[in-house]
Amino acid sequence: MTSKNIFQSLLMLALVAMNVSCASQKDILNPKKVSNVDLLLSAMTIEEKVGQMTQLNIDVVCEGEVYKLTEPHRLNATKLHQALVDYHVGSILNCGGHAYPREQWHEIIGGIQKVATTETNLKIPILYGIDAIHGANYVTGSTLFPQQLAQAATFNPSLTQEGGRITAYETRAAGIPWNFSPVLDVGRNKNWSRFFETFGEDPYVCSVFGSALVRGYQGGNGSSVDNVHVAACMKHFLGYSGTRTGFDRTPAIISDIELREIYRPSFQAAIDAGALTVMINSGEINGIPVHANPKILIDLLRTEMGFKGLAVTDWEDIIKLVKNHRVAVDLKEATYLAVMAGIDMCMVPNDYDFTKYLIELVKEGRISEERLNVSVRRILETKNKLGLFENAMPPSIAAFPEFASEKHKVAALLTAEESITLLENKNNILPLKKDAKIFVTGQAANSMTLLNGAWTRTWQGTDAQFDDATKNTIYEALLSKNKNVTFNEVCGLETMNKMNGNPLEMAMNADVIVVCVGELPSTELPGNIYDLELSKAQQEYVKMLQSTMKPVVLVLVENRPRIVRDIVDGCSAVVMAYQPGDFGGDALANILYGDVNPSGKLPFTYPKFQVGTSTYDHKYTETFDKDFGNKAFQPQWEFGHGLSYSNVQYENLQVSYESEDMGGEIFIRVDVVNPSERSVKEGVLVFATDEVASVTPSVKKLKAFQKIELAPKQRRIVEFSISKEDLKFIGKDAQPIFESGAFQFHVGSLTQRLIIQ
Ligand code: BGC
């Protein structure tokens, strides 16, 4: 039977169930008149519709208790029957606490889909969702990429798009068609426990990288998704990262202007790229939880931004309306609030309360069946676009020969290499000489856990039993290039370890010390911190190493930029590694030894102080200092900062404006020169300053970027064209406007001023 036939017989079944007339049966043969999804919808009971809107945690249908599953995790037939047949559940998510091999996924997904498509009344397949955040991290053996923050540092979105394609392939290889990624929250608060999950602090960078990732996941514009791609899920709409404290899910105060200037663009770009689904922010904005706010979920998301896909809540967010936010007296009221605010599916995820209360609310007439239809149609359409009605069963292992292939590994390595950012390099201490004696130390030096970060085989990514021993830590990768490398961890993340031998002696015997510091992977609530400074123990240790007077190379392996002000001056070089993934050790070794020329640039402002250092696109008032000068903005390293071994130069910046009747384009060209004997990649960044505007302008804003490659001694003209549209800002009435006047354009240290009418 062909796949079309299967869908058609499914519809016949639906028609039988609803007892339709001959006239409407003809409609099946005329899909233009009534869509298949509409026919299916019209055959559904209220219970079946509510079931489609229910999303359960995998634990609910497995052997064992929720959060305490019996190993190895297996489906429980009775629980599965209850969920799918009795409650008509439409979606399941997650793994039961850790990654599974593909075979196990196939057993789980296959078992679920078999019940859904053979034992339920309408045989509607399940929409299974997972967090594949930096690769298919919950599929054992998959290719792990650098975290999003590191990816942004490449300033090369084509790497991210390819990484998205690979992640989709390896996720689909497990039989999972829906990925809760990308994170499109803009990283404005460096304390935020999910900072590493963002593409950094700039809305434009987040838009370009976010939409590239959506295209990579979905493999097209979202009109349909083939069986080697997945549906993307933009998250978390909207303003989640704008928390005042940086603690997870704490209040954000965001003006209408800022909401549209900073937080909206990345989501708009992803919608324009065809993103099929969205997950809602668990937090509150201006006192209203987003899950209960129709102004955000309907007026903004649907009407203003034109999103047509499926909106899922985040974890337990209807429960949180009662327990945490306290805007509803009980779960039934919370269910009413969230559904009327515009959610389509509830990530309940551990019981049937949402299901029961929503059925009651419809039967009592408080929520109409038409309201349910709107959501259920979106859910069924998503399943249809993913081809699940045609085949929901997991593929064979043989159908995915590229899983964790050499090609995929190379893509992850290349992304890590282009992300690692050289922040300081005094007296060209780097690259290291191939025969130099190196002492490698610090807790991040020999840890795969720290290189990968959270969402690695487990939620927090801290369980070292899931590390892949075949991958190289920083120490192992350095050793593979130079046998003259000694290692002693000495310092843990928070305290000095008991020392084996004398580390100072090891340091004294080396030509160069490479000290790798950082923080334990974490995300969400467990990632909350009270102090952005690097731990005292690690700072003291670096100072101790500096006292040897040997050159110290400081390598930062961090979730977010920890303050290192007091130890930077005593270092010869500083390298930001972010959380570069399974190939981060190799990438770093390639860079330290000069086999790869570093080309990463910071996608955020690296703070020097706890207070006062905001973002690169701050307002002028943020620069006024206590001496009445303008030196208050004092980052450790600026947004866009990143060195190479080539000392790339910029010359001859030319900016011209074509009048409106000629198209209104602004042309920017600049010569980029590689004076060195090495080839080099360079992210060329174009900023604009609007000198005067009716809403206080930022000192500058990123408007365009390109990653180019220069051969040794090559000079290249790099051209950009931007439009007046790109120079708009959100005006007093919260709408985008262009105001004519003087603009400055900056590339490198060059600036040109232009009047644009
Ligand atoms: C996180 C989401 C994630 C979801 C499902 C939540 O706690 O905030 O980002 O997609 O869990 O795992």
Side-chain angles (χ1 to χ4, degrees), residues 588-714:
L588 190 80
N590 289 345
I591 283 174
L592 293 185
Y593 278 110
D595 297 332
V596 168
N597 202 344
S599 66
K601 292 192 169 184
L602 286 178
F604 56 85
T605 306
Y606 202 113
K608 190 171 190 174
F609 302 99
Q610 193 93 28
V611 177
T613 313
S614 54
T615 52
Y616 85 93
D617 53 351
H618 51 273
K619 303 292 179 85
Y620 285 93
T621 45
E622 293 176 76
T623 67
F624 301 150
D625 63 50
K626 62 187 172 70
D627 298 324
F628 303 96
N630 62 352
K631 294 197 169 53
F633 180 71
Q634 287 194 30
Q636 187 74 56
W637 295 287
E638 300 224 2
F639 172 92
H641 173 70
L643 306 168
S644 68
Y645 299 142
S646 292
N647 193 21
V648 171
Q649 304 292 316
Y650 292 86
E651 293 170 8
N652 302 326
L653 174 64
Q654 290 169 35
V655 186
S656 57
Y657 171 58
E658 212 180 39
S659 62
E660 205 87 63
D661 40 335
M662 300 286 289
E665 292 291 293
I666 296 136
F667 295 105
I668 299 146
R669 58 177 274 166
V670 67
D671 290 3
V672 187
V673 187
N674 174 11
S676 76
E677 298 291 348
R678 298 168 177 270
S679 61
V680 64
K681 291 178 181 163
E682 173 78 0
V684 183
L685 276 50
V686 179
F687 296 90
T689 299
D690 186 349
E691 287 189 4
V692 177
S694 57
V695 170
T696 55
S698 297
V699 298
K700 61 178 181 177
K701 276 178 171 291
L702 186 70
K703 293 295 167 188
F705 60 85
Q706 271 180 51
K707 185 93 174 232
I708 60 157
E709 190 158 6
L710 295 165
K713 300 282 178 197
Q714 192 187 357

Side-chain angles (χ1 to χ4, degrees), residues 88-297:
H88 318 284
V89 164
S91 180
I92 300 182
L93 86 153
N94 217 3
C95 60
H98 59 75
Y100 305 135
R102 275 185 291 166
E103 293 78 0
Q104 194 175 352
W105 272 120
H106 290 176
E107 197 182 307
I108 291 173
I109 304 282
I112 291 172
Q113 297 295 19
K114 187 160 176 259
V115 173
T117 58
T118 60
E119 292 177 31
T120 64
N121 183 28
L122 289 174
K123 322 229 172 308
I124 301 173
I126 290 291
L127 182 56
Y128 203 100
I130 199 85
D131 294 282
I133 302 297
H134 65 124
N137 38 251
Y138 284 144
V139 186
T140 307
S142 64
T143 313
L144 292 178
F145 285 80
Q147 298 278 358
Q148 273 190 207
L149 185 65
Q151 294 190 31
T154 66
F155 280 89
N156 185 352
S158 65
L159 293 171
T160 289
Q161 181 159 340
E162 175 64 358
R165 184 194 69 74
I166 292 168
T167 301
Y169 179 95
E170 297 192 359
T171 303
R172 206 73 198 245
I176 302 172
W178 186 19
N179 186 9
F180 304 131
S181 174
V183 168
L184 299 175
D185 302 307
V186 188
R188 305 296 279 188
N189 186 335
K190 273 94 193 175
N191 292 317
W192 192 40
S193 63
R194 306 187 75 167
F195 189 74
F196 69 97
E197 291 185 56
T198 73
F199 285 118
E201 74 185 29
D202 179 61
Y204 176 66
V205 171
C206 292
S207 304
V208 174
F209 277 86
S211 50
L213 196 45
V214 167
R215 284 191 291 273
Y217 288 151
Q218 299 191 161
N221 63 7
S223 55
S224 69
V225 177
D226 67 20
N227 60 7
V228 289
H229 290 88
V230 295
C233 184
M234 317 177 278
K235 69 187 194 186
H236 309 76
F237 191 80
L238 182 71
Y240 181 22
S241 55
T243 108
R244 281 179 297 181
T245 58
F247 288 163
D248 187 47
R249 293 170 162 92
T250 51
I253 304 290
I254 306 176
S255 71
D256 282 353
I257 291 179
E258 201 185 342
L259 198 72
R260 287 168 176 79
E261 188 77 55
I262 305 293
Y263 296 100
R264 176 187 143 154
S266 49
F267 285 92
Q268 187 67 65
I271 292 170
D272 297 345
L276 287 174
T277 74
V278 68
M279 188 185 294
I280 307 308
N281 165 17
S282 307
E284 64 169 75
I285 301 178
N286 306 341
I288 306 177
V290 180
H291 280 82
N293 192 345
K295 284 207 170 110
I296 304 259
L297 299 187

